[in-house]
Amino acid sequence: MKINKRKLIFKAVLGLFIIFPSCKENETAPNEVLQPSIETVAPSVTASFDFFPTSTTGVVVQREGFAFSYSEEFEQSEWVAYVLTEQDFSNRNFNRPFFIDDPKVKTHSADWRNYKKSGYDKGHLCPAGDRKSSYKAFEETFYTSNISPQRHDFNDGIWNRLEQKTRYWAKKYNGLYVVTGGVLSDNLKTIGQEKVAVPNYFYKILMTKDTKKMIGFLVPHQDSEKPLYEFVVEVDLIEKMTGIDFFPKLPDASENRLEKTSDYKEWSF
């Protein structure tokens, strides 16, 4: 399998820095964690996303249709965030582009060939069906920074049902903030030469644009016929599992109240 040479060179150079750390005065100590710089692209749609989560990696990229925090360690994004309105899932039928690595990720996102014959789908985090306001926004969802390995019965089953319900709520509640991703942790199964991690759980967190309602879903990575409300959990739980603060810009009182509830009765199932 052909792997991006620039990525291999980057990793080799990074390894040299780990083996031979600098000890000069006023430079980073050998045991100090280095955070990559944050990359931003002049956003349009994402400019309306007022509540970006924190990043455990420091690599945050804003595109036209969504933003993401990329984890080189796990070769996928730890979260993808975007605003979803009724205009975003129009009836337009765009031609599906090929999956390609993301040029905005300096270390390069995982090569699509890691998924070949792996037994896993290239599972969208921000669904292509959620970005139909323009072809560019649609096309962006096919960067490998926006995919994660998913079982086909999961991707086509419970996860697809949750994506469709999310669109229903976006229309019903006049727009949503959406944050989604896999729970990335140690000792996960991996696929491909770049060892793309396969999450055991996926999450999706929704908040109405008026910031009055929030709901979190934590879904085991397996086929399920259970109703969606059985996967509703406190957002606080997902934060503990991921180390991410999903809505740090909310007023503390609102954040504490919304993230501590698992009551789904305010949402129309």
Side-chain angles (χ1 to χ4, degrees), residues 82-185:
Y82 57 101
V83 176
L84 183 63
T85 68
E86 185 177 358
Q87 290 70 39
D88 292 316
F89 43 93
S90 67
N91 292 323
R92 294 177 178 176
N93 291 316
F94 294 130
N95 292 327
R96 288 173 62 94
F98 293 111
F99 285 96
I100 59 173
D101 70 337
D102 194 327
K104 297 300 180 183
V105 177
K106 287 184 178 179
T107 57
H108 293 268
S109 58
D111 192 295
W112 66 268
R113 295 175 185 83
N114 289 285
Y115 290 77
K116 193 174 182 180
K117 296 182 180 180
S118 69
Y120 289 90
D121 287 358
K122 304 177 194 73
H124 282 80
L125 296 176
C126 174
D130 283 3
R131 300 288 84 173
K132 288 189 173 183
S133 59
S134 71
Y135 181 72
K136 181 179 180 182
F138 178 83
E139 185 180 38
E140 285 179 343
T141 67
F142 288 84
Y143 286 120
T144 56
S145 55
N146 184 50
I147 66 172
S148 180
Q150 291 185 342
R151 289 174 41 159
H152 179 72
D153 55 6
F154 173 86
N155 185 23
D156 197 47
I158 181 67
W159 195 244
N160 180 53
R161 283 197 284 133
L162 181 54
E163 290 174 342
Q164 292 185 39
K165 182 62 74 172
T166 299
R167 294 182 193 119
Y168 165 77
W169 284 324
K171 182 177 180 180
K172 182 178 179 65
Y173 300 125
N174 196 31
L176 297 172
Y177 294 109
V178 182
V179 186
T180 191
V183 177
L184 305 180
S185 59

Side-chain angles (χ1 to χ4, degrees), residues 54-71:
T54 58
S55 169
T56 69
T57 67
V59 180
V60 175
V61 177
Q62 293 187 49
R63 291 199 163 278
E64 177 175 311
F66 59 89
F68 63 89
S69 172
Y70 195 76
S71 173

